[in-house]
Amino acid sequence: MDVTGTNLQAWEGFWRGAPGGPGAVLWDAGAEVTAAAHLPFFEAHFDPSLPVVDLGCGNGTQTRFLAKRYGRAVGVDLSAAAIGHARHQDPGGVAEYRQLDAADPEAVRRLGEELGEVNVYMRGVLHQCRPEERAPLVEGIAVLTGGRGRVFADELAASAKDALMGLAQGPDGPPAKLAAIFAHGIAPAEMPDAAVPELFRAAGMEVLARGEVALVTTERRADGSWFEVPTNWLVAGGAG
């Protein structure tokens, strides 16, 4: 759920201050409840012969799962500090990691020349982009996926705002993992649920599947259950 094409200084500060271990960041739930849980939504659409780009990879938890599943996975993130965490947590080099602004057409073009057509896995990235950056980012995804690749995108539902505000307004205030996000000026922008599929259609991609799923976080409720946030997912690919 990390970010490309947004406030680099804020994200560098956040990741420099974040503990490097798994589960230390609010959205860094284990792959078994994240990418593995998403797999039934996109597996039939992804060409297994293509590399997978984990766009907004953060510390690479999901990238490493995807690498074991698809053979070659490349995690990209705007933040050099995030990429540093990812490499540190992957001493065996299961996956690859690159600092990259996915809203930069030239950076995307170079990555596409290196990798060829790819599948893209993405969580929460569009919500962290400035409105003017969203279309270039999705256009870059269309370039990377080409004719054979597909994108799986999971974004916060409009109703997620109420869930997050409820967490922040608990009797003890926001929990530490949420407070760390606020402290760096990072907050998801509101987007209507219909805006995400429209961005992909505007970039010339066809929405092939869509649905709803809960984002499992690393924060527990008072009853011991994991705090979850509602999201909408889609799979898209080159139209025609």
Side-chain angles (χ1 to χ4, degrees):
M1 191 173 159
D2 309 290
V3 147
T4 56
T6 187
N7 191 320
L8 175 59
Q9 184 176 6
W11 281 99
E12 281 295 333
F14 173 81
W15 280 111
R16 281 198 300 269
V25 174
L26 183 67
W27 55 84
D28 188 36
E32 70 278 3
V33 294
T34 309
H38 293 152
L39 194 63
F41 305 142
F42 64 78
E43 187 173 30
H45 298 278
F46 276 23
D47 182 336
S49 70
L50 300 180
V52 177
V53 169
D54 181 8
L55 199 159
C57 69
N59 59 5
T61 299
Q62 314 310 321
T63 321
R64 290 184 284 280
F65 169 84
L66 293 167
K68 292 173 183 176
R69 190 83 189 188
Y70 287 98
R72 185 179 188 186
V74 181
V76 301
D77 201 281
L78 180 66
S79 167
I83 294 301
H85 281 309
R87 288 175 175 155
H88 181 75
Q89 292 183 41
D90 188 8
V94 170
E96 305 166 45
Y97 308 95
R98 315 283 172 79
Q99 181 187 12
L100 183 140
D101 180 353
D104 179 349
E106 181 59 25
V108 170
R109 183 191 64 79
R110 291 195 299 268
L111 185 66
E113 287 180 349
E114 176 190 349
L115 299 179
E117 293 179 330
V118 302
N119 296 309
V120 173
Y121 177 85
M122 179 174 76
R123 292 190 306 141
V125 172
L126 290 171
H127 273 80
Q128 298 292 356
C129 290
R130 299 185 183 99
E132 66 272 16
E133 295 168 332
R134 292 171 186 153
L137 187 142
V138 175
E139 289 163 5
I141 291 172
V143 170
L144 290 173
T145 54
R148 290 192 297 150
R150 300 291 183 261
V151 56
F152 171 83
D154 187 37
E155 293 288 334
L156 297 182
S159 57
K161 179 180 178 181
D162 291 340
L164 290 168
M165 290 303 295
L167 181 64
Q169 295 172 354
D172 299 320
K177 293 174 186 176
L178 185 59
I181 298 170
F182 293 154
H184 290 280
I186 298 167
E190 294 182 53
M191 290 179 65
D193 291 342
V196 176
E198 285 306 315
L199 282 165
F200 285 94
R201 294 187 184 107
M205 302 183 80
E206 178 182 357
V207 176
L208 304 171
R210 57 191 298 189
E212 302 174 358
V213 68
L215 169 71
V216 180
T217 74
T218 60
E219 190 66 37
R220 289 191 183 273
R221 300 181 186 273
D223 64 3
S225 63
W226 294 111
F227 176 74
E228 298 180 347
V229 180
T231 69
N232 298 314
W233 63 268
L234 62 77
V235 176

